[in-house]
Amino acid sequence: MTDRIDGEAVAADVRADLQSAVDSVADRGHRPTLATVLMSPDPASETYVSMKQRDCEELGIDTRDVELDLDEPAEALFDVIEELNRDDDVDGILVQSPVPDHVDYREVLERIDPEKDVDGFHPENVGRLVAGYPRYKPCTPHGIQKLLDATDVDTEGKEAVIVGRSRIVGKPMANLFIQKAPGGNATTTVCHSRTEDLAAKTRRADILVAAAGIPEFIDGSMLSPGVVVIDVGINRVDADTEKGYELVGDVDFESAAGKASAITPVPGGVGPMTRAMLLYNTVKATGRQADIEVELP
Ligand code: NDP
């Protein structure tokens, strides 16, 4: 029997556990606040930001909504970030990517106060993660750790194979898997576009994390029986639906499910966890900013 890992249910549990932390902070006179900054040429970004804001509001986290026109100079965005850094009422700052070409995204990340960097992308936070004492774990890989834990998948001693080495998924995932800590201790392989004989690597996996951004390109023939498959991919493909497209993962679900002991669906797997872990980091940031001890799930 293949276990279909229900990311919506695990994310709901995380949110329920976070609710009491939000309430206890509010009882002490501090309302958690997340500032979202939108200056993105990708039309989907607006939807992502409004989903994140809605998640916050449902939990009682205030949001600050800043939008900049695409043709504004980079300095305008940097000024906004500086203002939010200095604002004691703002606990977390998220600049939605991508930003326009004339804005250096690396500089954007470096300008966010690392204490308010709830995405965990500031070099200081990346460094802390690599060094083994993370402040804010990036939301997607952290969410995957939670999903595995909730599914009773022990990573210790396992072969974890990650397909993709991006800054937001593949690399931090690898860093979490190799930590000498719960949810880590896995023997970890990171594959990418230059990897030779990818299938030979993926067949070694006890746990496979697919994050390449290519629709359904990992199929059952690339997997060994009993593997746990975590499909991060969210790809739009043309389909005969009302919207004219459907969302599919990086994994061919049907054939992979034939091999896997457990597998995440798309949608409804990793996506809801990424959103839940942004709330987690925001609550954590609030505790740090307000110097209040919060109990995190
Ligand atoms: P990127 O495009 O930044 O990275 C893709 C990675 O896949 C790169 O490291 C690339 O290698 C590697 N790759 C590309 N082609 C191959 C190949 N043929 N074989 C092996 N590796 C390959 O993507 P992201 O990490 O940002 O996102 C990956 C997917 O996950 C996307 O579909 C995205 O939409 C989705 N996503 C989903 C989230 C969620 O919450 N569910 C959150 C974030 C992303 P190289 O480095 O050599 O170019």
Side-chain angles (χ1 to χ4, degrees):
M1 264 294 279
T2 306
D3 185 6
R4 189 184 165 102
I5 302 173
D6 187 347
E8 293 286 1
V10 180
D13 288 345
V14 171
R15 285 196 301 271
D17 289 342
L18 285 173
Q19 185 68 68
S20 49
V22 172
D23 293 345
S24 76
V25 173
D27 285 347
R28 298 179 62 175
H30 191 100
R31 262 182 91 88
T33 301
L34 174 70
T36 58
V37 184
L38 180 65
M39 185 185 187
S40 172
D42 178 358
S45 290
E46 205 175 329
T47 314
Y48 293 148
V49 167
S50 60
M51 277 163 37
K52 289 168 186 176
Q53 289 170 339
R54 206 176 57 225
D55 289 345
C56 284
E57 281 147 22
E58 277 173 17
L59 218 62
I61 297 173
D62 281 346
T63 55
R64 271 302 170 80
D65 184 17
V66 185
E67 291 187 25
L68 288 101
D69 289 333
L70 291 179
D71 54 6
E72 294 213 44
E75 281 307 326
L77 177 56
F78 299 156
D79 287 348
V80 163
I81 293 170
E82 189 47 44
E83 215 173 287
L84 295 170
N85 283 343
R86 274 193 262 109
D87 189 333
D88 290 340
D89 291 335
V90 170
D91 300 303
I93 302 171
L94 178 149
V95 178
Q96 182 65 42
S97 72
V99 290
D101 287 343
H102 67 277
V103 181
D104 179 356
Y105 185 54
R106 204 175 92 181
E107 191 168 352
V108 171
L109 296 181
E110 287 176 3
R111 282 176 181 259
I112 297 173
D113 178 348
E115 279 290 350
K116 299 189 178 188
D117 167 40
V118 286
D119 267 333
F121 296 159
H122 187 287
E124 183 181 314
N125 288 324
V126 176
R128 291 176 70 108
L129 175 68
V130 174
Y133 49 102
R135 181 187 279 138
Y136 302 118
K137 295 181 186 176
C139 302
T140 300
H142 191 191
I144 292 170
Q145 264 193 327
K146 288 269 175 205
L147 263 189
L148 291 171
D149 183 46
T151 315
D152 291 328
V153 176
D154 188 359
T155 52
E156 182 161 334
K158 299 283 164 45
E159 290 272 352
V161 178
I162 303 163
V163 184
R165 58 174 165 185
S166 72
R167 189 179 39 74
I168 63 171
V169 187
K171 279 183 189 156
M173 186 77 262
N175 277 309
L176 289 175
F177 276 154
I178 63 170
Q179 304 273 310
K180 203 167 185 175
N185 289 316
T187 304
T188 304
T189 304
V190 182
C191 304
H192 44 75
S193 66
R194 312 295 164 89
T195 296
E196 288 179 9
D197 196 358
L198 180 66
K201 309 324 184 259
T202 55
R203 278 189 210 110
R204 288 211 310 249
D206 300 310
I207 300 167
L208 180 96
V209 177
I214 306 172
E216 300 178 320
F217 96 116
I218 292 177
D219 64 23
S221 73
M222 299 169 74
L223 303 170
S224 290
V227 61
V228 174
V229 177
I230 304 293
D231 189 353
V232 183
I234 302 178
N235 308 292
R236 265 188 196 198
V237 293
D238 293 341
D240 191 14
T241 62
E242 205 175 300
K243 290 179 176 159
Y245 67 85
E246 64 177 351
L247 295 180
V248 299
D250 285 357
V251 175
D252 173 40
F253 188 87
E254 292 307 323
S255 67
K259 287 281 184 67
S261 57
I263 183 167
T264 58
V266 176
V270 176
M273 292 304 296
T274 298
R275 288 167 62 183
M277 300 326 283
L278 174 65
L279 300 170
Y280 179 105
N281 280 350
T282 303
V283 174
K284 186 172 187 183
T286 303
R288 295 177 66 91
Q289 249 73 249
D291 205 13
I292 296 172
E293 205 161 311
V294 288
E295 226 173 280
L296 292 161

